Amino acid sequence: MLGLLIACTPALNWRDVRPEGTALQLQMPCRPNVQARTVTLVGQPVRLQLLACDADGHTWALATAAVAESAAVAPTLQALREAALANVGAASAAAASQPLQVPSATPQAAAGQFSAQGRLPDGQAVQLQAVVFADGLQVHQATVLGAQVDAAGARTFFDSLRIVR
């Protein structure tokens, strides 16, 4: 029932999204903008694709990158987690973590959900909720960021993540 109420919220217009070049499917509450750039993760340059949009006072984002070898997957998931926390000035030790298994994702000890309180560069207080996971050599990070993250909306976003072949 709660999912139906969220889906009817005018500020959140949920839609299916399938990022190009992935087997990932998810729902985003707004039409995402797509950007790509090369970043350094675990000492290696990788092409990072970012789908992001703003709705209802939140930023909703999905970052995807491919690593060259399986040994790099877990350290890259950890690097994505650390980068997200650093972006809001939150210490890794202060982040709350819990397991989360995305359906059909490659099992990884470094995969999971985390949340933290932090600040944007302008000093505004924010909450961050994010999930990192892998599909083979592809690593993914889904993030919700806002002054007060809406738990129901974040749950809808994270619960929609799945690998579809």
Side-chain angles (χ1 to χ4, degrees), residues 12-106:
L12 301 179
N13 182 10
W14 294 98
R15 64 203 62 222
D16 289 332
V17 176
R18 293 207 57 172
E20 186 177 327
T22 75
L24 182 62
Q25 181 176 322
L26 70 150
Q27 289 192 328
M28 293 188 78
C30 41
R31 178 182 221 101
N33 294 312
V34 180
Q35 300 176 10
R37 64 176 181 243
T38 300
V39 299
T40 301
L41 293 172
V42 193
Q44 298 295 314
V46 295
R47 183 178 179 274
L48 184 76
Q49 179 182 357
L50 179 67
L51 285 75
C53 61
D54 294 314
D56 197 28
H58 295 76
T59 297
W60 309 81
L62 174 77
T64 299
V67 297
E69 59 188 18
S70 59
V73 172
T76 302
L77 290 173
Q78 186 62 32
L80 287 171
R81 181 183 191 279
E82 296 298 326
L85 293 169
N87 285 342
V88 297
S92 181
S97 298
Q98 62 188 33
L100 176 81
Q101 182 61 39
V102 171
S104 299
T106 305

Side-chain angles (χ1 to χ4, degrees), residues 4 35 119 140-141 147:
L4 291 175
Q35 300 176 10
R119 295 202 174 274
H140 307 282
Q141 176 185 319

Side-chain angles (χ1 to χ4, degrees), residues 81 84 96 98 100 112-116 128-132 141-144 158:
R81 181 183 191 279
Q98 62 188 33
L100 176 81
Q113 183 173 353
F114 59 97
S115 60
L128 164 84
Q129 288 191 22
V131 173
V132 293
Q141 176 185 319
T143 305
V144 180
F158 297 142

